[in-house]
Amino acid sequence: MKVLATRRYPGPAFDELVDVEVRALSELTSPRPDVEALVVANEPVPLDLLPGLQLVANYSVGYDRLGIEELAQRGVAVSNTPGVLSAATADLTFALILAARRRIVEGDAYVRSGNWTTDWTDGFLAEELTGSTLGIVGLGRIGQAVARRARAFELRVLYTQRRRSETELGEYRELDELLAESDLVTIHAPLTPETHGLIDAPRLALFRDDACLVNTARGEIVDENALVTELVSGRIRAGLDVFAHEPQVPEELLSLPNVVLTPHLGSGTRQTREAMTRIAVDNILAFEGGEPLVTPVPERPKRLG
């Protein structure tokens, strides 16, 4: 198969692709009927420029930006990379929780500025993590990994999702109840029509004063304008790895001390990214050999959780 990859994806598995061309989609200026498979990291697929496309090997768990409905109508198969990035994203979630809650980035800037002139600092008092209540929005693979890590921090865990499940990882709450009851809220739901704008202004108003919102899922799940307003007011804190219009970040956030910003690093470990490449390549090889896809995308995107 002729494969177009939007970048050279990390790991030795990428070298198993025999006929592969590395080119950003933005560089396509005319139709390429020869391309049969596309490796892309959850970007809109220009079907008008790829009329011979048979397979999209999505280098991501989320596929909300691919144009999944149109791909289905055209009979294009789609795979993704579930399961291998749960640990990395859960680790980053707690990194953001700790950084925002314990004001680590503020402290780092203070030291670098040269303003730390005594052996005692009382200007960065924060709330302890132990004993706090963590609310998890979406108890899928990543949400469960976060809940397991929460045990080590002696957190009380609440969760919400579309279907209540029997689990020892946390106590179920309806979304509004969870938001009002939690000191820390972390989002691990997929982006679907049902979850777009799920955390809007009225729901942000339910947050406790000095509560912390962490988002490593999709920026569009939160009403970004409403979140900026809350953060500018200083009433809550946040750790944000995703944004509504990446790579654009609202300018108002760049100078705020109560928000920690990272550039979509959820799966950003060498081990995870190489595992994702392995899965993408395995899907291409399976399709090429007439075998079922290893990790096919469901026909209909899942809802919350």
Side-chain angles (χ1 to χ4, degrees):
M1 295 184 72
K2 174 66 177 180
V3 179
L4 177 65
T6 56
R7 55 181 61 79
R8 195 202 185 286
Y9 292 91
F14 190 82
D15 295 327
E16 297 178 25
L17 298 175
V18 176
D19 188 4
V20 59
E21 175 183 347
V22 177
R23 184 181 298 274
L25 292 177
S26 60
E27 297 176 2
L28 296 181
T29 56
S30 58
R32 290 289 305 274
D34 58 320
V35 173
E36 299 166 284
L38 173 68
V39 188
V40 64
N42 196 23
E43 302 170 55
V45 177
L47 285 171
D48 56 329
L49 295 175
L50 301 171
L53 191 64
Q54 300 176 37
L55 170 68
V56 174
N58 185 36
Y59 187 82
S60 172
V61 174
Y63 43 86
D64 47 276
R65 296 187 175 98
L66 295 179
I68 196 75
E69 292 82 6
E70 187 176 0
L71 288 169
Q73 290 173 2
R74 292 275 293 271
V76 178
V78 182
S79 66
N80 64 345
T81 59
V84 296
L85 49 74
S86 300
T89 306
D91 287 349
L92 180 67
T93 296
F94 265 95
L96 290 171
I97 287 172
L98 287 164
R101 185 78 161 178
R102 290 301 308 271
R103 306 176 66 179
I104 291 173
V105 174
E106 292 177 73
D108 177 85
Y110 184 70
V111 172
R112 293 175 188 272
S113 71
N115 291 326
W116 189 30
T117 57
T118 68
D119 61 355
W120 178 258
T121 302
D122 60 5
F124 293 95
L125 295 181
E127 298 295 326
E128 288 190 9
L129 205 59
T130 301
S132 298
T133 298
L134 172 67
I136 301 175
V137 181
L139 199 67
R141 290 187 181 95
I142 298 172
Q144 292 175 32
V146 169
R148 288 191 291 269
R149 283 157 176 74
R151 292 173 175 172
F153 289 95
E154 300 178 23
L155 297 176
R156 175 183 177 229
V157 177
L158 309 177
Y159 78 93
T160 190
Q161 60 180 3
R162 184 166 62 98
R163 289 193 181 94
R164 182 172 182 168
S165 59
E166 294 298 326
T167 178
E168 297 180 354
L169 293 174
E171 305 169 40
Y172 177 82
R173 293 289 188 277
E174 295 292 339
L175 178 58
D176 288 359
E177 295 174 322
L178 178 143
L179 299 179
E181 201 172 336
S182 299
D183 303 297
L184 311 158
V185 176
T186 179
I187 299 175
H188 302 291
L191 178 62
T192 69
E194 292 83 2
T195 63
H196 191 284
L198 183 72
I199 309 299
D200 55 12
R203 284 187 165 138
L204 286 167
L206 296 174
F207 279 54
R208 295 177 172 182
D209 289 348
D210 207 36
C212 180
L213 170 67
V214 171
N215 191 1
T216 59
R218 287 289 182 267
E220 297 94 322
I221 295 175
V222 180
D223 181 331
E224 195 164 74
N225 291 331
L227 177 59
V228 168
T229 298
E230 286 286 353
L231 290 171
V232 169
S233 77
R235 194 180 72 82
I236 66 172
R237 310 182 70 82
L240 305 176
D241 186 48
V242 290
F243 306 89
H245 305 288
E246 296 176 5
Q248 299 175 35
V249 176
E251 187 174 355
E252 299 95 324
L253 299 182
L254 300 180
S255 60
L256 292 181
N258 56 328
V259 58
V260 178
L261 310 171
T262 52
H264 208 138
L265 298 179
S267 64
T269 67
R270 177 181 58 79
Q271 294 89 342
T272 294
R273 293 286 173 86
E274 290 187 0
M276 292 168 67
T277 301
R278 176 74 271 166
I279 293 174
V281 171
D282 284 348
N283 276 292
I284 292 172
L285 296 179
F287 189 86
E288 190 174 29
E291 300 293 330
L293 292 178
V294 179
T295 53
V297 161
E299 292 183 8
R300 179 177 175 83
K302 294 180 180 179
R303 297 183 181 184
L304 177 61

